[in-house]
Amino acid sequence: MQDSPNPLSVALVATPGVQEAALLGLTDLFAVANRFAPGRIVATRVDQPVPHRFDVVLFLPSLGGSRGAPDHPLALWARDQHRQGARLCSVCAGAFWLGAAGVLDRRPVTTHWALEDEFRAAFPAARLEPEQILIDDHDIVTAGGLMAWIDLGLFLVGQAGGPALVSQVARHLLVDPSGREQRNYRTFRPNRGHGDAAILAVQTWLETHHPQPVLAEDMAAVAALSGRSFLRRFRAATGLTPSAYLQNLRIEKARGLLERTPTPVAEIGWAVGYADAAAFARVFRQITGVTAGDYRRRFAIA
């Protein structure tokens, strides 16, 4: 592979509390790429605005809770870089900095699934898709969880040197270059701190009654509420309809059984409340992105 006359210049933005592992990891990943294709990527750590224009400006995860603000110098600098043609990228909470830069309205974007509620509240005009590991929207590229810097790094390697270079780097680093989604890893942790005692009683009841045929009327009876009041208060407290909550709870219970036990998949479906194996398979894949068998192969605890 020939030396590139136009290397891809990448600014690795070190915001307050930056995850150093991501910053150093991307630096190493790009260094490996340059072994196979010398001079193809030039990565620079940026702690404060600099006059140089970059091809890519990348905001990394923050372990210190950094979220940025519209008047922060780095957010203003990123906005100016974007206006000059730079591609803006983020990993995990780095998406908050892109939001602060004002570039995410009506744009598809992802971040760590655990930050979904906070992100939606901060940037309601963005089209958040938290189930995705990476979203390429041409001039805005966002990656999901803390370790998704690997996915974004390989994506940028592909932009600089094509799929053959991605394959070389991925094989050298022993990483899978494609095929992951955040929902493969996402866990169901419903809100229990909402302060509605009647709804909390239903949530606690469902933890042991989810294998049974459960209707909204049954939950309303546990809450001692009318049907209409129950539906309104349940959604306000949990963010989900009762049926969606029940499905997510059942699949979360199934995940645990798949991870910890050798119980056959069909029996697990029955144990968490699905009399129809096909229905269990369909819902499991819809929520997790993989089949129950694939999930067990990937996440079973030895």
Side-chain angles (χ1 to χ4, degrees), residues 163-181:
L165 183 58
V166 172
S167 180
Q168 287 178 301
V169 173
R171 287 202 307 271
H172 186 81
L173 297 176
L174 300 181
V175 295
D176 185 353
S178 64
R180 298 192 297 156
E181 296 179 81

Side-chain angles (χ1 to χ4, degrees), residues 53-161:
R53 192 195 76 80
F54 291 89
D55 298 316
V56 174
V57 173
L58 197 167
F59 284 88
L60 298 160
S62 169
L63 298 181
S66 174
R67 296 291 186 264
D71 60 350
H72 193 286
L74 285 172
L76 294 171
W77 176 74
R79 186 185 309 165
D80 184 59
Q81 288 278 319
H82 188 246
R83 287 171 178 165
Q84 294 182 60
R87 174 181 289 167
L88 298 189
C89 302
S90 69
V91 182
C92 193
F96 284 83
W97 285 86
L98 301 191
V103 299
L104 296 185
D105 285 3
R106 298 178 299 280
R107 303 298 293 268
V109 59
T110 190
T111 187
H112 194 292
W113 60 264
L115 301 175
E116 179 179 353
D117 291 343
E118 182 185 355
F119 190 89
R120 289 192 190 280
F123 308 108
R127 290 162 43 203
L128 183 62
E129 300 177 19
E131 71 278 5
Q132 300 297 328
I133 282 281
L134 186 142
I135 294 179
D136 171 19
D137 197 38
H138 188 58
D139 59 327
I140 303 290
V141 183
T142 54
L146 285 166
M147 296 302 294
W149 60 264
I150 298 173
D151 301 83
L152 183 55
L154 290 174
F155 171 84
L156 293 174
V157 167
Q159 297 295 295

Side-chain angles (χ1 to χ4, degrees), residues 243-273:
S243 60
Y245 186 101
L246 181 59
Q247 279 197 344
N248 277 276
L249 178 61
R250 284 171 168 168
I251 296 306
E252 187 64 22
K253 298 287 187 179
R255 283 183 194 247
L257 292 170
L258 289 165
E259 292 169 11
R260 302 188 309 272
T261 77
T263 306
V265 170
E267 290 185 26
I268 288 177
W270 180 84
V272 299

